[in-house]
Amino acid sequence: MATQDELKRIAAEKAVEFVPENEYIGIGTGSTINFFIEALGKSGKKIKGTVSTSKKSSELLAKYEIPEVSLNDVMGLAVYVDGADEVNHALQMIKGGGGAHLNEKIVASASDKFVCIADESKYVSRLGKFPLPVEVVENARSLVSRKLLAMGGQPELRVGYTTFYGNQIVDVHGLNIDQALKMEDEINKITGVLENGIFARDAADVLVLGTAEGAKVILPCQD
């Protein structure tokens, strides 16, 4: 039986096919993306530049001599490749287990196509088993947590962690996320919330799933 890392690698290597040469692209964050950067570096594809969403991804890009640029210096990105903590059949996701979801959402919104890569354990019929990360301004943490509690969640501070922007993360367990787009917007309307980890407005266009039978390319189900 293939290990989870082997399934991540299967998805990552397949996703390189979706990267056009001589274009600017976005790169996400996480263990599956680490495999993708390695595969991209070994592929020989010529990339104009990449916009990275984390220091770890930037370090790996430098290791494989893949050029990096600032999002402010480009007009847009041909494709954004990133992983997910959960992804449903509409290719809506929960992301932010690594705390980079604000950067990831910014880069996703600047891209023409979002390619999500994941192992098959991340593909679910309903979002919410994985706790939802919510980035908050520190002095609004208690206020935000009370409102999340009123929405049916169980908020828990991610102790000892601050984001790239110096904010805190509250991980919310037990939310009913049947209507992901509505929930994303409702949480973002709470004063003191910078961004939450539901990717429904910026859902993926394509899912490349690593399975024991090989890589599967999945398009969003519209029903």
Side-chain angles (χ1 to χ4, degrees), residues 150-202:
M151 293 172 71
Q154 297 293 325
E156 180 180 340
L157 175 66
R158 193 177 295 186
V159 177
Y161 181 87
T162 55
T163 69
F164 178 82
Y165 298 104
N167 302 305
Q168 295 183 328
I169 292 217
V170 173
D171 291 305
V172 190
H173 302 256
L175 280 174
N176 180 341
I177 313 182
D178 284 338
Q179 295 179 289
L181 183 57
K182 181 179 178 181
M183 179 68 73
E184 179 181 4
D185 288 345
E186 284 185 359
I187 292 174
N188 280 347
K189 287 177 182 176
I190 300 172
T191 302
V193 169
L194 277 300
E195 190 54 81
N196 73 82
I198 298 175
F199 280 61
R201 288 204 172 276
D202 293 295

Side-chain angles (χ1 to χ4, degrees), residues 107-122:
V107 178
S109 69
S111 304
D112 294 336
K113 177 180 283 190
F114 186 162
V115 178
C116 177
I117 56 177
D119 67 87
E120 59 188 347
S121 70
K122 305 298 195 306

Side-chain angles (χ1 to χ4, degrees), residues 68-87:
E68 186 175 347
V69 296
S70 167
L71 185 60
N72 288 325
D73 295 332
V74 297
M75 295 296 292
L77 304 170
V79 67
Y80 175 57
V81 183
D82 202 357
D85 297 305
E86 286 184 340
V87 54

